Amino acid sequence: MAEKKLKPEELVQIELSPPAREWMDPSVNFRKGTWNYAAVPDTLDYLGLPNAGKWSPPDEEWPLPDNWQEIIHNGIKERLEKYRSFKVFMDICVRCGACADKCHFFIGSGDPKNMPVLRAELLRSIYRNDFTMAGKVLGKIAGGRKLSKQIIKEWFYYFFQCTECRRCSVFCPYGIDTAEITMIGRELLSLLGLGIEWVCTPLANCFRTGNHLGIQPHGFKDSLEFAVDELEEITGIRVNAPINKKGAEILFVAPSADYFASPHYYTLLGYLALFHELGLDYTWSSYASEGGNFGLFHSHEMIKRLNSKIYMEARRLGVKWIIGGECGHMWRVLNQYMDTMNGPADFLEVPVSPYTGTKFEHAASTKMIHISEFTADLIKHNKLNLDPRRNDHWVATYHDSCNPARSMGLLEEPRFIIKNVANNFHEMPENTIREQTFCCGSGAGLGTDENMEMRLRGGLPRANAVNYVKDKFGVNVLLCMCAIDKATLPPLLEYWVPGVEVAGVHELVGNALVMKGERPRTTDLRGEPMKGFGDAAGEEAQDV
């Protein structure tokens, strides 16, 4: 963390004037609070990654292999041949600047190299110098730079100040996806053994135990059983949370934070209540106990390696199709990579709701749907007994988590659910939601304490929008559908917008759901009193 924790009124003093030095100067200042710890050698060795060494970003000398320039050159060449998108993105940018002020890190820091166009140029300048005729002949005049150790440091600094949120891509007239460039940049750094701890250790944990937190199967089982016990205390109903049940119709996969962290845990209680009330024939898996995929923050190969466990477990358990829980990056992987990386899933069936008969044709290839699609369909067909008054103590707004919104187009389903389970809902300004949603500022493995200043700066645009609806409508809860958001938004809001909580959409579903045979409810899933629900009110609600 920063040596001195700046007050909000100090951190918001952002210098937006361009620096005197030209952008081609690669020097960076690894100031505390603006960078992430390096991955430890044991983790890299466990993952089978090359050139593992002990180092720290502020070190004067980094432990690069002797042939580091050759490694980078060959890495770029291989990816230009393998990924057409990479070559296209390297060639077609005209530096129009449409993306320049769209990045939350640029808005929050004022650093020009956090403009998406310029962050991409850090890699594009090496491509231009070494892989284009104009660059080979004209060099700097054509925008080329010679690869140096200082440029490697520059890459590390700025490619780990990008959350791959893809907001910039929405505004690019040529459709350039700067997140893909960031992914390639990080892949190239990993070839030199340069990764960050909060990406690589979750990767290693996922290989070892099936989830990013390193929770063992018995710990996973204990967590679900604890949730079952607590839900019984709240509702009086004993639900079932089957694990590794062969022959179930549906495999349910959620991010590991849902059964380990707060406020994610209350979303888990919502899942369990919903599935019990439906009588859903489903199972959890102690091996595919993680929907999230930190491979997205590391390399394409890691995406593939981690995501394979979901289809492997679906085959082993003999399910028909898959539902995924509230997670962010999980859904970019599942929606955009899963079929070609780990498919085809021809051993599964196209998802069909056993309660409404709805056939989810858009999932005909992946055989996996998002829980908000499933729940919205149930509500549309009046299959749930919901009392939105149970959420009257919340005045809600909704944060479109970057990957479900921009990568999956999941915009209306969560709003439809919220409007049916809560009476008090207000949208943030139009240019901060839906496809244009602002990032939490801490995704892509950047949600660490040592990186806190950049997290707070990157999250400033989102916090400003929340502050607007708090002041105008009295909003006191920010809903979202992403495990990383649920982990990183609470400290962000505590800093910039104190008094606003964070919750999952299915937490409010669980609050509003009137279960058959439940005891009169006076508290929500957090154990907090529900507005207007004393004992008599609770008995009245039982009959709704």
Side-chain angles (χ1 to χ4, degrees):
M1 293 184 65
E3 293 177 339
K4 175 190 174 185
K5 186 175 181 180
L6 298 175
K7 296 179 180 179
E9 57 269 23
E10 295 175 305
L11 196 64
V12 81
Q13 300 302 315
I14 301 165
E15 179 56 60
L16 294 173
S17 301
R21 62 189 179 91
E22 63 175 9
W23 74 266
M24 286 192 171
D25 179 357
S27 57
V28 291
N29 175 24
F30 284 94
R31 180 171 49 82
K32 284 189 175 181
T34 64
W35 49 271
N36 297 78
Y37 292 147
V40 297
D42 287 350
T43 295
L44 299 184
D45 287 338
Y46 185 86
L47 292 168
L49 297 174
N51 302 312
K54 190 174 182 180
W55 63 289
S56 181
D59 291 346
E60 186 69 26
E61 288 293 328
W62 290 7
L64 302 181
D66 293 337
N67 63 333
W68 67 271
Q69 289 177 306
E70 179 186 1
I71 291 172
I72 293 295
H73 189 275
N74 290 339
I76 294 175
K77 182 176 183 293
E78 178 185 346
R79 284 156 183 79
L80 287 171
E81 295 171 351
K82 188 174 183 179
Y83 304 115
R84 178 189 293 181
S85 60
F86 179 41
K87 179 164 176 51
V88 170
F89 296 159
M90 288 291 97
D91 285 334
I92 67 173
C93 178
V94 296
R95 273 73 93 200
C96 68
C99 67
D101 60 347
K102 306 306 187 293
C103 177
H104 49 282
F105 278 121
F106 171 67
I107 295 171
S109 71
D111 188 338
K113 292 187 180 181
N114 273 325
M115 294 179 180
V117 59
L118 192 43
R119 188 187 293 114
E121 204 71 11
L122 304 181
L123 176 53
R124 189 178 287 115
S125 61
I126 304 304
Y127 161 78
R128 193 173 294 117
N129 189 79
D130 295 346
F131 293 90
T132 70
M133 183 59 68
K136 290 177 180 178
V137 174
L138 300 175
K140 185 176 180 180
I141 297 174
R145 295 191 299 171
K146 292 184 178 179
L147 187 60
S148 67
K149 290 183 178 180
Q150 193 59 48
I151 283 177
I152 296 299
K153 290 187 175 184
E154 180 189 47
W155 283 3
F156 182 90
Y157 189 75
Y158 288 104
F159 287 138
F160 287 106
Q161 283 186 21
C162 170
T163 51
E164 302 178 16
C165 81
R166 305 174 74 235
R167 188 172 194 264
C168 52
S169 67
V170 173
F171 298 91
C172 177
Y174 290 90
I176 295 173
D177 187 347
T178 307
E180 292 279 353
I181 299 174
T182 291
M183 290 170 66
I184 296 295
R186 291 187 179 189
E187 283 192 25
L188 295 172
L189 290 169
S190 74
L191 299 176
L192 302 180
L194 306 176
I196 65 171
E197 180 63 11
W198 190 226
V199 168
C200 293
T201 288
L203 291 176
N205 287 341
C206 205
F207 276 114
R208 187 172 64 255
T209 67
N211 60 76
H212 292 145
L213 299 176
I215 299 170
Q216 301 285 344
H218 60 277
F220 170 67
K221 180 174 180 289
D222 288 346
S223 294
L224 289 186
E225 288 179 349
F226 182 86
V228 167
D229 291 341
E230 185 153 4
L231 191 59
E232 184 177 17
E233 290 181 11
I234 297 169
T235 66
I237 295 176
R238 185 77 181 177
V239 306
N240 186 30
I243 302 174
N244 299 332
K245 174 186 173 184
K246 289 194 173 184
E249 181 176 2
I250 295 165
L251 170 64
F252 181 65
V253 183
S256 53
D258 280 359
Y259 53 84
F260 186 81
S262 178
H264 315 65
Y265 174 74
Y266 307 112
T267 302
L268 168 65
L269 296 182
Y271 299 152
L272 295 177
L274 174 65
F275 295 162
H276 172 84
E277 186 64 14
L278 292 171
L280 188 68
D281 181 16
Y282 83 106
T283 184
W284 297 76
S285 164
S286 61
Y287 175 63
S289 54
E290 177 68 73
N293 192 323
F294 272 38
L296 185 66
F297 312 147
H298 183 275
S299 64
H300 291 81
E301 181 60 27
M302 281 295 175
I303 295 174
K304 181 178 181 179
R305 289 167 66 180
L306 263 63
N307 203 57
S308 63
K309 66 183 182 296
I310 296 177
Y311 276 164
M312 291 170 66
E313 277 297 85
R315 186 188 294 274
R316 184 180 75 86
L317 295 173
V319 302
K320 294 181 179 179
W321 51 284
I322 310 168
I323 296 177
E326 293 188 8
C327 187
H329 59 288
M330 167 182 179
W331 284 100
R332 184 177 188 196
V333 171
L334 299 179
N335 196 50
Q336 298 189 337
Y337 295 105
M338 187 172 184
D339 183 45
T340 53
M341 283 186 169
N342 303 112
D346 49 11
F347 59 95
L348 296 173
E349 299 177 6
V350 178
V352 176
S353 172
Y355 307 102
T356 68
T358 298
K359 190 172 186 179
F360 296 95
E361 295 282 5
H362 66 284
S365 180
T366 63
K367 312 299 194 297
M368 186 167 183
I369 65 168
H370 193 287
I371 191 170
S372 69
E373 299 173 291
F374 181 69
T375 302
D377 179 63
L378 292 169
I379 295 173
K380 180 182 177 182
H381 289 87
N382 298 312
K383 297 300 182 182
L384 300 177
N385 186 3
L386 300 170
D387 184 359
R389 295 177 303 159
R390 291 180 170 189
N391 284 309
D392 280 354
H393 55 304
W394 292 124
V395 181
T397 191
Y398 179 66
H399 164 65
D400 290 274
S401 300
C402 299
N403 284 305
R406 276 191 283 268
S407 300
M408 196 181 180
L410 206 60
L411 305 173
E412 300 306 326
E413 290 86 347
R415 288 175 167 82
F416 179 74
I417 295 170
I418 294 166
K419 291 173 183 177
N420 279 275
V421 300
N423 290 318
N424 303 307
F425 173 67
H426 303 278
E427 292 277 19
M428 289 180 278
E430 288 185 12
N431 64 337
T432 71
I433 59 173
R434 299 179 184 271
E435 293 91 342
Q436 297 186 43
T437 184
F438 274 112
C439 179
C440 67
S442 303
L446 307 186
T448 60
D449 285 352
E450 71 270 15
N451 190 45
M452 185 59 77
E453 181 180 322
M454 286 311 299
R455 286 177 57 186
L456 296 175
R457 289 187 180 279
L460 174 60
R462 170 45 75 222
N464 278 341
V466 176
N467 192 56
Y468 173 82
V469 289
K470 179 193 176 187
D471 288 346
K472 187 171 183 178
F473 303 111
V475 162
N476 60 8
V477 66
L478 177 63
L479 304 178
C480 60
M481 293 194 309
C482 172
I484 288 180
D485 284 337
K486 290 170 192 169
T488 61
L489 284 170
L492 178 76
L493 298 184
E494 182 182 358
Y495 184 82
W496 290 116
V497 199
V500 179
E501 301 290 329
V502 176
V505 172
H506 277 79
E507 176 184 339
L508 268 66
V509 172
N511 288 343
L513 184 65
V514 181
M515 303 174 70
K516 299 181 189 69
E518 69 175 19
R519 69 165 62 106
R521 295 272 300 278
T522 60
T523 66
D524 64 10
L525 295 180
R526 301 187 180 203
E528 298 294 330
M530 293 189 293
K531 187 176 180 180
F533 277 73
D535 291 340
E539 292 174 4
E540 179 184 344
Q542 185 71 26
D543 298 327
V544 173

